[in-house]
Amino acid sequence: MAHFNLENEVSNALRYDAPLSKGPVPRWQRKKMELSMSNLSINTSSNDATLNMSLNKSLKAPTSPKKVLDDWSKRLTPGRGKTNKSPLPDQGDRFIPHRGAMQFDLGHYMLTKGKSEDEALSPNSAHYKKTMSENLLGDISNFRILAYQNKAPQAPSGHANGLKILYSSSKNPGSTKKATRHIPQNPEKILDAPDIMDDYYLNLIDWSSTNILAVALHGTLYLWNGSTGEISQLLDLPTMDEYISSVSWLPEGNILAVGTSTAEVQLWDVGAEKRIRTMKSHSSRIPSMSWNSYILSSGCRTGVIHHHDVRVAEHHVGTLSNHTQEICGLRWSLDGRHLASGGNDNLVNVWSSSAGIGQNDGRPLHTFNEHQAAVKALAWCPWQPNILASGGGTADRHIRFWNCNLGTSINAIDAKSQVCSILWSKEYKELISGHGFANNELIIWKYPSMAKVCELTGHKSRVLNLAMSPDGMTVVSAGADETLQLWNCFACDPQKKKVVSTGTTKRSDIMKHTIR
């Protein structure tokens, strides 16, 4: 009978228009039957009824392959099949990246082996390993463990992202204030200053609180009225060998102190155009002076500082002698508590107001020796009276800041040029510096970041001195190119509506004259 069964099976197999009644059991069904048989072999103590039920279930009509695959996918995918409300891949905002470009092996090495091995190696071995790695694998420092080849798809229409509201800015773009102001790159006016001495150590210009600019041109002193633009000559030294080495205005009033190469300090009443006093106590020229109320301090070429009480006949009331060379910078603080001195010995000394007067000790409170060249530029911060700025000469080229209460250095910036003068702005938290070799420019700095706000390049030679107008808006620079240049670099903010009047004449009418 077996040969009849074979013939029937062959006949059925050759009939293409009818379904196969018999055939090999599919692989998925065989696996299921084997799983059921293994369960049956374990549960040997089960009764016959249970065994029959298991066999009937295993021999049940086969389930479609699609349903079995769905069942397996539900088991392998966490959370799938629990709810029928999960969005399909093309219906939600979930983005599954392309994983073909992921550097899994390299990422595993960088996260586990790379760091620990590099720490254990010596510097030479680590450098050798890094070189070999770059030659074999390239620069792996820029490799990404996860890399996306395709951009994330656009969110479906109507999709609202709640985080966008949380992290977005609420400021109105139209109300944003400009970060910087306009600073003219050219001087407002250029005045002639012939015969001005090209000497780094001298202080030849100063601007009074009454808007009078004093300019020393060798042995002659001129006054320029900033309100009217008038020019007048105040004094002329008797011989050609003599010259004016420094000028300094009393902070309030018309009294001008004039230091000369013959070691004299002359006091002039500018309103009356009359010399009211001559004080002699030094043995050499006087390149720097500074006022503290009725006390006039003068620095000498010998390195000695004298205090003069201009109210009394015996004017010499104190001596400070910690410098060994010429005093080229001298500034009293705005509160009158400290005197800063800079010399050709590269030192910056800070003195108390009572130092060297009477029986008080004449030693400085602090001595700073970080500069590598002569220190002429000195300026006290107007809103922090204990902060002093100093600038060094050609071999130093640094602007340094000091806390004079603690005697410590705050900051130092390389200006790339000889620092001749420093002034603080009254309107902004900025300062301006005048420079000599090699750039011959003025630089406006932001404080305390010391970022450059502007560079003013009008002089053809080094900038010897700077002075500021009483309203704090204009800075005048005296150059070795025999010019005075006025810069409108600290104009008041129009939104603050600060109006400081220095006269009734228009600025265009003021700048019609020159010094000579």
Side-chain angles (χ1 to χ4, degrees), residues 174-189:
S175 62
T176 303
K177 186 179 179 180
K178 293 183 179 179
T180 58
R181 68 185 189 278
H182 173 67
I183 300 176
Q185 295 297 305
N186 297 319
E188 198 170 18
K189 187 66 178 178

Side-chain angles (χ1 to χ4, degrees), residues 52 77 167 192 222 226-227 251 273 364 368 370 373 399 403 509:
N52 291 334
T77 306
Y167 291 101
D192 292 332
Y222 291 91
S227 300
E273 297 184 359
F368 306 120
E370 280 81 354
I399 299 175
N403 186 328
D509 296 334

Side-chain angles (χ1 to χ4, degrees), residues 75-133:
R75 295 179 185 178
L76 296 175
T77 306
R80 185 172 179 180
K82 294 182 181 179
T83 176
N84 56 1
K85 295 183 180 181
S86 59
L88 295 177
D90 58 345
Q91 293 180 352
D93 57 352
R94 182 184 177 193
F95 171 60
I96 301 177
H98 176 69
R99 291 179 170 82
M102 296 183 183
Q103 307 267 356
F104 287 108
D105 295 336
L106 179 60
H108 182 267
Y109 171 77
M110 294 172 65
L111 293 175
T112 57
K113 297 182 180 179
K115 184 176 180 181
S116 60
E117 291 179 359
D118 291 342
E119 291 177 353
L121 294 175
S122 63
N124 293 334
S125 301
H127 178 71
Y128 173 76
K129 181 179 178 181
K130 181 180 179 182
T131 304
M132 293 297 296
S133 175

Side-chain angles (χ1 to χ4, degrees), residues 43-313:
N43 300 327
T44 55
S45 61
S46 300
N47 52 24
D48 296 337
T50 306
L51 181 58
N52 291 334
M53 290 176 63
S54 300
L55 290 173
N56 292 335
K57 186 175 181 181
S58 63
L59 297 175
K60 202 174 182 180
T63 310
S64 63
K66 182 177 183 304
K67 184 176 181 182
V68 175
L69 292 175
D70 291 341
D71 293 340
W72 278 99
S73 64
K74 291 179 181 178
R75 295 179 185 178
L76 296 175
T77 306
R80 185 172 179 180
K82 294 182 181 179
T83 176
N84 56 1
K85 295 183 180 181
S86 59
L88 295 177
D90 58 345
Q91 293 180 352
D93 57 352
R94 182 184 177 193
F95 171 60
I96 301 177
H98 176 69
R99 291 179 170 82
M102 296 183 183
Q103 307 267 356
F104 287 108
D105 295 336
L106 179 60
H108 182 267
Y109 171 77
M110 294 172 65
L111 293 175
T112 57
K113 297 182 180 179
K115 184 176 180 181
S116 60
E117 291 179 359
D118 291 342
E119 291 177 353
L121 294 175
S122 63
N124 293 334
S125 301
H127 178 71
Y128 173 76
K129 181 179 178 181
K130 181 180 179 182
T131 304
M132 293 297 296
S133 175
E134 292 178 353
N135 292 334
L136 296 175
L137 303 176
D139 187 8
I140 65 173
S141 61
N142 295 326
F143 281 8
R144 298 180 180 179
I145 301 176
L146 300 179
Y148 303 110
Q149 292 182 344
N150 301 324
K151 292 184 179 181
Q154 294 291 336
S157 59
H159 174 74
N161 186 3
L163 298 179
K164 184 176 181 181
I165 301 175
L166 181 62
Y167 291 101
S168 60
S169 176
S170 60
K171 293 183 179 180
N172 184 10
S175 62
T176 303
K177 186 179 179 180
K178 293 183 179 179
T180 58
R181 68 185 189 278
H182 173 67
I183 300 176
Q185 295 297 305
N186 297 319
E188 198 170 18
K189 187 66 178 178
I190 299 178
L191 307 176
D192 292 332
D195 297 332
I196 191 169
M197 296 190 65
D198 185 7
D199 192 331
Y200 172 80
Y201 301 96
L202 306 185
N203 293 272
L204 303 177
I205 62 173
D206 197 18
W207 209 327
S208 73
S209 60
T210 57
N211 205 19
I212 304 295
L213 177 65
V215 182
L217 302 180
H218 199 268
T220 307
L221 183 68
Y222 291 91
L223 303 176
W224 177 76
N225 192 319
S227 300
T228 62
E230 296 179 356
I231 304 295
S232 61
Q233 179 179 330
L234 181 65
L235 68 94
D236 191 5
L237 296 180
T239 65
M240 292 296 297
D241 295 336
E242 299 181 21
Y243 58 88
I244 299 172
S245 55
S246 60
V247 293
S248 180
W249 285 97
L250 184 71
E252 292 88 15
N254 289 324
I255 304 300
L256 177 66
V258 180
T260 67
S261 60
T262 57
E264 291 183 351
V265 177
Q266 300 180 8
L267 298 182
W268 286 78
D269 185 349
V270 175
E273 297 184 359
K274 181 181 179 180
R275 185 175 63 183
I276 57 179
R277 189 167 189 177
T278 299
M279 298 181 294
K280 296 182 179 181
S281 61
H282 290 289
S283 60
S284 185
R285 74 175 186 179
I286 303 169
S288 58
M289 294 185 296
S290 183
W291 287 89
N292 182 22
S293 184
Y294 52 84
I295 297 294
L296 175 64
S297 300
S298 59
C300 181
R301 193 171 196 172
T302 60
V304 177
I305 301 172
H306 287 177
H307 293 316
H308 307 273
D309 188 342
V310 299
R311 303 171 302 173
V312 297

